Amino acid sequence: MATNNEKAKGVLVDLTRCIGCRGCQVACKSWNERKTGKTTIEGNFTNPKQLNSDTFTRIAFIEQDNGAQPVWSFVKDQCMHCQDPACLSACPVGAFTRTPEGAVNYTFEKCIGCRYCMVACPFNIPKYEWESTNPWIRKCTFCSDRIADGKIPACIKVCPTNVMLFGNREDIMKEAEKRMKDSPGKYVNHIYGKEEAGGTSWVYLSAVPFDQLGFNTKIPAQKLPDLTWNMLGTIPAKVGALVVGLSLIAAFRNRGANNDDDSSESKQGKEK
Amino acid sequence: MAATSTASALPAPAAGFKALIALVGVGFAAALYRFWVGLGASTNLSDSVPWGLWVAVDVLSGVALAAGGFGITAAVYIFNMKKYKSIARPAILTAWIGYTVVVIGLVIDIGKPLAFWHPLVMWNPRSVMFEVVVCITLYSAVLALEFAPAFLERFKLTGLQKFLKLFTFPLVIAGIVLSFLHQSSLGGFFLIMPHKVPALWWSSNLPYMFYLSAIALGLAMVSFESIVSARAFKREQEMEIIQGLGRGVLITLGLYFAFKVGDLAYRGALSQVFSSGKASVFFILEMLIGVIVPIGLYAVKSIRESVNGLFLAACCVIVGTVMNRFNVNFFAQAGPNSNYFPSIVEILITIGLVSLMVLLYRLAVTYLPVFHEPGKSH
Ligand code: SF4
Ligand code: SF4
Ligand code: SF4
């Protein structure tokens, strides 16, 4: 596993710095040449309400009341680029790959469209081109084309308040801990993504408890693919045991009866 | 097809036959529509519920419904329970048709139907889906070989039939092993999302629960078919066999119930049985219809000894287990934004596939030596 090697990149998202300008949302669309559509704002200012095949990232606007005035939190969503991705292990044809930099990418030529990756992803990130007759899965690419080119991801590049810090994952983890230590009481005591789903490349700091911001805090701190591998990995042993066991039972239960097996079928009708 | 002595002994299919063909035709048209316009326009699937009716019924339930195939062959060949030999062929036939239809359903469901063969050459051994596809493919081949004697007998190719007989045991064992692997792996799909599937269903034992309930369902399905076929062909009900099957279902359900309750208790989730809102309602319904009521029915002697009683119990198991597959699949995805009800195209295709199964079954039992007529040899 290429986790945490020197080249593994990460992004620290410090939500306390986000002003909700949606610059990242626009930059991502234009870098990735995604369609824009007419949208409406309903109920709250989050727009669109969910990620979709044309929106790899978007800012959720979360309004809370502290009695006197509304308090706003702005939360950027995109693929977390897990260190041991559920999507990658789930895909029957191996359409997902993880680059040494930690970007989890999708090979459209392989995909059969079973959508198991969508169901398996703990963060519900992969989205589908439902309206197409030749649909692909779509999700944030970590701008791996830019990274390969020595550039930083488009959404990070445009951010006016430096919400996101791109670097080696080890370094950004250290930075996250430093920020928490330097400003006691500013952040809740949790780095989201440090352990969730076995660790993700993108991690978050927040002043508001994560569960109030729509983060799923029930995701176990465990490499999720291990859960299925526990079952799949024992297949050879199970097959061996079953074949031997069944053969023994068959030999025992059918002892002395082997030779008349041939005739029993044709006699079948008359027996009754 | 010219009628032979075997075929002419059975009445030609009549009542309901045209209706079946019509339903298959409608389903076929709906499938063409789905290919033409894509999944988005023809289904109610969405980014919040990517797996719907087709996965729950056509795949998860369809495979489990066909579990009678390995259950009966195990009883007959491994455990040498000769009395079930007369239903081995119908059970294998059901399984074979079941898998064929499951594969058709899969091709309709996947977003890129023309890429359906990819898993056979692009392997990801860490994927449960990959394992299931491989097992289903291999098991379909095993079932074809297990059912081949019916064709060979029909066309009097005794030489080939003798040759195939040499492989009876290896085939039966391969079938049982493959079935164990993929029946349990269908539950294994959901292992990777422990935080999504409600505690009422999620357990590291989910694969074994799927396996056990598939056996109950498979046996119930075989007895359902035996009862219906005997009625349709005006044969006498083979009480000994359907009662034996009933006993099998009862034992499996008993094990399943104990396993389920023990597992819930072990994980400290018993209290959630009544406190999980909508999930509780569906969970309780599924357990009542699919497990508790049928156990009750089989436990009463007068019910257990009547054809109608056995029929009712089998129907309960079938409905309840299909509900279980539906529930696991839906609640695994259900978030605050999920609501899903299948579209008319999804429903018509599913009805079409079920009708296709019944149609193929009726054709096969009419024209091939599937049931050995009591008191009549050929
Ligand atoms: S967040 Fe989801 S899509 Fe992204 S790498 Fe992790 S499992 Fe895959
Ligand atoms: S939808 Fe495509 S990428 Fe996703 S798991 Fe299925 S084959 Fe793999
Ligand atoms: S990393 Fe690139 S693809 Fe991902 S959200 Fe940012 S701009 Fe979009």
Side-chain angles (χ1 to χ4, degrees):
Chain A
M1 276 292 98
T3 50
N4 265 338
N5 69 11
E6 277 166 24
K7 283 167 99 189
K9 302 296 178 208
V11 177
L12 170 61
V13 187
D14 188 336
L15 294 177
T16 62
R17 298 185 178 188
C18 180
I19 54 170
C21 74
R22 294 195 180 103
C24 53
Q25 209 172 310
V26 176
C28 177
K29 260 206 200 263
S30 72
W31 179 259
N32 292 292
E33 298 181 313
R34 298 286 79 210
K35 275 205 306 283
T36 52
K38 200 171 155 58
T39 58
T40 48
I41 290 190
E42 262 173 63
N44 61 44
F45 288 106
T46 309
N47 187 24
K49 289 278 176 291
Q50 304 292 322
L51 299 181
N52 56 50
S53 56
D54 283 318
T55 310
F56 299 167
T57 188
R58 68 105 173 76
I59 299 293
F61 284 56
I62 292 150
E63 185 183 345
Q64 291 173 312
D65 243 316
N66 73 351
Q69 56 186 20
V71 178
W72 290 93
S73 303
F74 309 106
V75 180
K76 184 178 184 295
D77 275 351
Q78 76 295 308
C79 173
M80 300 288 281
H81 298 279
C82 304
Q83 298 190 307
D84 199 346
C87 59
L88 188 152
S89 89
C91 177
V93 291
F96 288 96
T97 49
R98 188 169 178 276
T99 68
E101 290 85 17
V104 179
N105 281 338
Y106 162 80
T107 320
F108 65 88
E109 297 97 330
K110 285 191 173 180
C111 177
I112 61 171
C114 69
R115 313 185 294 282
Y116 188 23
C117 52
M118 306 177 68
V119 182
C121 169
F123 305 100
N124 294 323
I125 293 299
K127 302 296 174 198
Y128 209 47
E129 295 181 324
W130 294 102
E131 299 316 317
S132 163
T133 47
N134 187 28
W136 297 354
I137 292 287
R138 293 286 195 175
K139 71 166 195 70
C140 155
T141 64
F142 210 159
C143 283
S144 22
D145 48 350
R146 290 177 57 93
I147 293 181
D149 221 13
K151 301 192 181 94
I152 65 172
C155 55
I156 302 179
K157 181 83 186 172
V158 299
C159 180
T161 52
N162 285 327
V163 171
M164 290 156 280
L165 175 70
F166 176 86
N168 288 336
R169 186 173 187 271
E170 273 173 38
D171 300 342
I172 62 119
M173 289 309 294
K174 276 187 208 134
E175 173 65 19
E177 267 149 32
K178 183 168 170 291
R179 284 189 200 176
M180 291 214 292
K181 215 166 83 216
D182 289 352
S183 321
K186 181 174 178 193
Y187 302 100
V188 292
N189 188 21
H190 184 69
I191 305 174
Y192 190 90
K194 184 180 175 193
E195 282 167 347
E196 274 77 9
T200 56
S201 303
W202 286 59
V203 298
Y204 289 75
L205 283 180
S206 167
V208 181
F210 284 101
D211 55 348
Q212 294 174 21
L213 298 182
F215 285 84
N216 189 337
T217 46
K218 287 197 216 123
I219 297 173
Q222 177 183 14
K223 292 179 172 175
L224 298 174
D226 287 352
L227 291 166
T228 38
W229 187 246
N230 287 342
M231 174 185 79
L232 292 175
T234 54
I235 283 182
K238 284 180 190 151
V239 170
L242 276 173
V243 170
V244 173
L246 290 169
S247 309
L248 288 177
I249 298 175
F252 178 73
R253 298 283 307 194
N254 293 280
R255 61 193 182 281
N258 278 348
N259 297 338
D260 70 354
D261 182 54
D262 225 3
S263 49
S264 69
E265 185 142 341
S266 44
K267 266 197 258 151
Q268 186 68 37
K270 290 173 198 153
E271 269 169 15
K272 306 264 171 67
Chain B
M1 235 187 240
T4 64
S5 59
T6 322
S8 60
L10 300 167
F17 200 69
K18 281 187 192 143
L20 269 182
I21 293 183
L23 288 175
V24 173
V26 172
F28 184 74
L32 286 182
Y33 178 73
R34 171 258 170 274
F35 290 130
W36 187 251
V37 300
L39 287 170
S42 58
T43 70
N44 285 344
L45 300 172
S46 66
D47 282 333
S48 13
V49 184
W51 279 1
L53 179 72
W54 294 339
V55 170
V57 174
D58 309 3
V59 180
L60 295 179
S61 304
V63 170
L65 277 168
F70 86 88
I72 301 296
T73 53
V76 171
Y77 294 98
I78 304 296
F79 293 97
N80 199 18
M81 298 156 97
K82 285 253 159 62
K83 77 171 172 191
Y84 297 108
K85 189 142 189 179
S86 65
I87 54 163
R89 233 178 231 185
I92 292 170
L93 174 68
T94 310
W96 190 37
I97 293 175
Y99 279 85
T100 311
V101 172
V102 163
V103 170
I104 298 176
L106 265 174
V107 170
I108 294 174
D109 179 73
I110 59 175
K112 292 175 184 271
L114 294 178
F116 74 92
W117 50 274
H118 281 185
L120 302 179
V121 294
M122 303 170 190
W123 294 11
N124 179 10
R126 270 164 66 90
S127 164
V128 190
M129 182 73 79
F130 169 72
E131 189 239 345
V132 167
V133 171
V134 170
C135 282
I136 287 184
T137 310
L138 291 177
Y139 188 45
S140 300
V142 168
L143 284 168
L145 288 173
E146 283 185 334
F147 190 70
F151 285 100
L152 301 176
E153 211 170 279
R154 167 72 175 72
F155 297 104
K156 306 217 158 40
L157 299 164
T158 21
L160 255 179
Q161 208 182 333
K162 279 232 167 68
F163 176 72
L164 207 56
K165 199 149 237 164
L166 295 175
F167 299 100
T168 305
F169 278 93
L171 279 176
V172 166
I173 291 179
I176 297 171
V177 173
L178 287 168
S179 296
F180 169 74
L181 292 182
H182 70 269
Q183 293 283 3
S184 55
S185 290
L186 292 179
F189 279 164
F190 301 94
L191 285 176
I192 200 161
M193 36 194 130
H195 61 291
K196 291 194 193 177
V197 187
L200 295 176
W201 291 286
W202 194 90
S203 155
S204 51
N205 291 316
L206 199 54
Y208 306 107
M209 299 203 175
F210 264 54
Y211 182 64
L212 265 184
S213 57
I215 295 180
L217 174 61
L219 296 180
M221 195 65 201
V222 175
S223 63
F224 175 91
E225 280 168 7
S226 303
I227 295 171
V228 172
S229 314
R231 266 194 203 144
F233 296 120
K234 305 205 167 49
R235 270 186 288 116
E236 221 178 281
Q237 295 288 353
E238 296 172 277
M239 282 314 279
E240 209 195 324
I241 289 180
I242 51 178
Q243 280 177 0
L245 287 171
R247 250 192 321 277
V249 180
L250 176 62
I251 294 169
T252 324
L253 285 183
L255 285 174
Y256 178 78
F257 186 72
F259 191 20
K260 186 84 210 177
V261 174
D263 185 79
L264 283 172
Y266 176 75
R267 287 181 296 110
L270 271 180
S271 61
Q272 298 191 27
V273 168
F274 297 101
S275 64
S276 306
K278 201 160 107 184
S280 284
V281 176
F282 281 87
F283 177 78
I284 293 170
L285 274 180
E286 146 200 333
M287 287 301 281
L288 273 180
I289 299 176
V291 184
I292 297 168
V293 168
I295 288 181
L297 290 173
Y298 287 121
V300 179
K301 193 156 183 276
S302 59
I303 298 181
R304 188 170 61 217
E305 287 179 351
S306 81
V307 176
N308 287 337
L310 289 167
F311 185 72
L312 180 64
C315 290
C316 284
V317 176
I318 294 169
V319 173
T321 318
V322 172
M323 276 185 73
N324 167 261
R325 301 305 195 257
F326 202 95
N327 291 344
V328 174
N329 176 55
F330 178 76
F331 286 104
Q333 304 167 67
N337 307 304
S338 331
N339 70 60
Y340 166 78
F341 192 84
S343 75
I344 187 80
V345 175
E346 289 175 80
I347 296 174
L348 288 177
I349 290 180
T350 298
I351 294 177
L353 288 172
V354 174
S355 311
L356 179 64
M357 243 185 305
V358 181
L359 182 69
L360 290 174
Y361 186 84
R362 285 187 62 166
L363 286 175
V365 297
T366 306
Y367 293 111
L368 294 169
V370 174
F371 286 103
H372 292 272
E373 291 286 89
K376 193 168 183 305
S377 80
H378 48 273

